[in-house]
């Protein structure tokens, strides 16, 4: 699709490759990467960067990836980020009846994954299929108790799709405490422009950043300034980005915006510029620059103020790092549940990355 960017008196026609964004989003979503089990997703990102001609990158000790792109001005340094880690679970206990008690990684409501198919990732590399169910699932057996029982860590369990009667049967399969559990994503791309899936947060944003890099390559362009690109892997539990270049001047986290709720006024066909989250207001001067850039270039956006939200940018500021910080991204409905966004909001986000960077 062609999108038009107005700047001063000249018009730039931006060929933003939407098909590339959607394809890469689906590819990455299909790689299970609950928090703590992200090595395969990072390896995928590394290979994508290589295919885009990015050779200057490092893997951190925590397993994140930082790439570097030389810009026109090396006296000022910017950084953008997105995270590959998702919500998921870890095996907490193997019950006597052969079911698994699990504990969550990342913040989600247990009701949002009730009845979901799961994959259990053993330490040996072998995987097993299962389903997350309440401990009293059948209304035929338990009646109203099955309907009314609270859905909590203690009342949910995984039924493994193997012939299992006891905990010994589970151990014989090689399933152990500490094994990671990922949930089926149900990714669907609709003809009317909507895409719905688990874990658009934040794998869609990873694909958007890759599409920005592809745009630079396709058009033989450089960013205005030197640019670091950070793919973090612990964002969902609050310590995603923890290593920063000493010369960094500003940092923009690319993460999802919120649509529904009393404190969320997002629009799936627009992108989001976040003014404040649960941790901190974002840097006013940088946010002002982003909004002015969007206004000048006819980029459709909303401004978000959130009470239950955080990003790698505000996490970094709470660690005491000194740079300007912001957060932008596509507006997504039903975040940390079965999420949905629209192609228009996806494109608007990439347009702002191109116009500002």
């Amino acid at each position: 699709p062609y999108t038009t960017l107005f700047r001063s008196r000249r018009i730039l026609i931006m060929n933003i490759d939407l098909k590339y964004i959607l394809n890469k989003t689906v590819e990455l979503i299909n790689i299970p990467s609950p928090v703590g089990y992200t090595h395969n997703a990072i390896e995928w990102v590394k290979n994508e960067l290589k295919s885009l001609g990015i050779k200057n990158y490092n893997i951190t000790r925590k397993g994140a990836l930082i790439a570097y792109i030389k810009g026109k001005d090396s006296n000022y340094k910017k950084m953008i980020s997105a995270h590959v880690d998702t919500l998921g679970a870890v095996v907490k206990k193997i019950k006597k009846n052969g079911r698994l008690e699990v504990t969550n990684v990342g913040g989600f409501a247990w009701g949002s994954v009730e009845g979901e198919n799961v994959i259990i990732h053993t330490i040996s590399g072998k995987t097993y299929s299962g389903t997350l169910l309440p401990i009293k699932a059948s209304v035929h057996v338990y009646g109203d108790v099955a309907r009314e029982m609270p859905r909590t860590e203690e009342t949910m369990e995984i039924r493994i799709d193997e012939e299992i009667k006891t905990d010994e049967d589970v151990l014989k399969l090689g399933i152990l405490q500490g094994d990671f559990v990922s949930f089926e994503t149900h990714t669907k791309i609709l003809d009317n422009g909507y895409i719905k899936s688990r874990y658009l947060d934040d794998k869609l944003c990873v694909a958007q950043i890759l599409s920005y890099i592809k745009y630079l390559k396709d058009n033989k362009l450089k960013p205005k300034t030197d640019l670091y690109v950070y793919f973090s892997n612990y964002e969902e539990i609050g310590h995603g980005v923890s290593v920063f270049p000493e010369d960094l001047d500003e940092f923009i986290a690319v993460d999802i915006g919120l649509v529904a709720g009393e404190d969320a006024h997002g629009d799936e066909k627009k992108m989001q510029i976040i003014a404040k989250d649960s941790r901190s207001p974002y840097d006013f001067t940088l946010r002002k620059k982003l909004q002015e850039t969007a206004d000048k270039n006819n980029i459709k956006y909303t401004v978000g103020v959130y009470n239950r939200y955080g990003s790698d940018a505000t996490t970094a500021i709470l660690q005491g790092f000194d740079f300007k910080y912001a957060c932008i991204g596509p507006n997504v409905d039903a975040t940390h549940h079965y999420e949905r966004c629209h192609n228009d909001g996806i494109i608007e986000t990439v347009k702002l990355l191109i116009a500002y960077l």
Side-chain angles (χ1 to χ4, degrees):
Y2 286 91
T3 58
T4 306
L5 173 66
F6 295 92
R7 182 179 296 152
S8 301
R9 294 183 179 178
R10 59 197 180 94
I11 299 176
L12 301 179
I13 303 298
M14 294 193 295
N15 286 310
I16 297 174
D17 193 339
L18 177 61
K19 184 177 180 181
Y20 173 87
I21 297 172
L22 297 178
N23 285 343
K24 295 307 170 185
T25 298
V26 173
E27 283 182 31
L28 185 53
I29 282 175
N30 285 334
I31 300 173
S33 57
V35 185
Y37 190 82
T38 56
H39 51 287
N40 292 325
I42 289 292
E43 182 70 16
W44 179 90
V45 171
K46 183 182 76 173
N47 291 332
E48 287 302 315
L49 289 174
K50 285 182 178 179
S51 72
L52 293 170
I54 302 299
K55 299 177 181 178
N56 195 342
Y57 63 86
N58 289 296
I59 305 295
T60 72
R61 292 184 181 89
K62 278 174 59 176
L65 188 151
I66 308 176
Y68 174 77
I69 302 173
K70 179 116 178 111
K72 296 176 183 177
D73 180 4
S74 294
N75 294 316
Y76 196 84
K77 312 285 186 181
K78 297 177 183 178
M79 186 168 84
I80 56 175
S81 78
H83 63 91
V84 302
D85 57 298
T86 70
L87 310 174
V90 171
V91 176
K92 180 181 179 181
K93 180 181 179 181
I94 301 171
K95 297 182 176 183
K96 294 294 184 183
N97 64 357
R99 303 289 174 102
L100 303 179
E101 183 177 324
V102 294
T103 184
N104 62 296
V105 287
F108 59 87
W110 285 102
S112 72
V113 287
E114 179 177 344
E116 189 56 87
N117 292 317
V118 305
I119 300 173
I120 304 151
H121 305 268
T122 68
I123 200 165
S124 69
K126 191 170 184 178
T127 60
Y128 292 94
S129 169
T131 308
L132 184 74
L133 297 167
I135 56 175
K136 296 181 178 180
S138 172
V139 293
H140 289 117
V141 177
Y142 299 105
D144 286 342
V145 173
R147 297 185 179 96
E148 299 169 3
M149 182 181 66
R151 271 50 174 171
T152 67
E153 184 174 302
E154 291 75 22
T155 63
M156 304 297 286
E157 63 185 10
I158 289 177
R159 178 188 65 198
I160 305 168
D161 297 327
E162 300 287 338
E163 189 164 346
I164 289 171
K165 303 297 183 184
T166 69
D167 53 349
E168 289 297 323
D169 295 330
V170 177
L171 293 171
K172 288 175 183 176
L173 296 177
I175 296 173
L176 302 169
Q177 287 172 301
D179 287 344
F180 284 93
V181 175
S182 60
F183 301 118
E184 192 168 313
T185 64
H186 301 287
T187 307
K188 296 193 179 298
I189 297 175
L190 306 181
D191 292 338
N192 61 3
Y194 286 101
I195 173 173
K196 54 184 182 178
S197 177
R198 296 193 190 278
Y199 315 139
L200 295 176
D201 174 15
D202 195 37
K203 293 185 172 182
L204 169 59
C205 296
V206 172
Q208 288 175 310
I209 287 179
L210 292 172
S211 77
Y212 166 71
I213 297 172
K214 182 178 185 294
Y215 179 85
L216 294 178
K217 178 185 177 183
D218 290 347
N219 294 278
K220 297 180 174 57
L221 295 172
K222 287 184 178 182
K224 296 174 186 175
T225 70
D226 288 357
L227 181 67
Y228 295 100
V229 185
Y230 202 121
F231 297 97
S232 69
N233 59 336
Y234 283 94
E235 192 276 345
E236 291 292 3
I237 54 174
H239 60 93
V241 178
S242 53
V243 178
F244 291 93
E246 293 181 359
D247 56 355
L248 189 61
D249 294 291
E250 66 181 51
F251 171 32
I252 301 173
V254 185
D255 212 329
I256 46 96
L258 310 182
V259 174
E262 293 181 0
D263 60 347
H265 307 285
D267 182 332
E268 288 169 88
K269 293 191 175 183
K270 300 177 182 179
M271 57 85 57
Q272 180 87 263
I273 299 172
I274 301 175
K276 177 189 177 296
D277 65 21
S278 60
R279 296 167 178 150
S280 170
Y282 286 84
D283 182 85
F284 173 74
T285 56
L286 179 52
R287 177 167 67 88
K288 186 170 183 285
K289 285 181 183 179
L290 289 166
Q291 288 185 226
E292 288 174 345
T293 300
D295 291 336
K296 289 177 183 177
N297 296 290
N298 296 329
I299 295 169
K300 299 180 180 67
Y301 69 95
T302 57
V303 176
V305 177
Y306 303 144
N307 294 328
R308 297 177 184 86
Y309 182 100
S311 74
D312 274 332
T314 44
T315 297
I317 292 305
L318 292 178
Q319 293 178 64
F321 291 102
D322 182 26
F323 39 69
K324 298 183 185 302
Y325 56 105
C327 185
I328 67 171
N331 279 305
V332 175
D333 186 63
T335 53
H336 282 202
H337 203 291
Y338 187 42
E339 300 169 337
R340 190 187 74 171
C341 66
H342 193 275
N343 291 340
D344 291 355
I346 294 172
I347 290 293
E348 295 302 298
T349 307
V350 181
K351 283 168 66 177
L352 184 56
L353 288 174
I354 293 169
Y356 181 72
L357 296 177

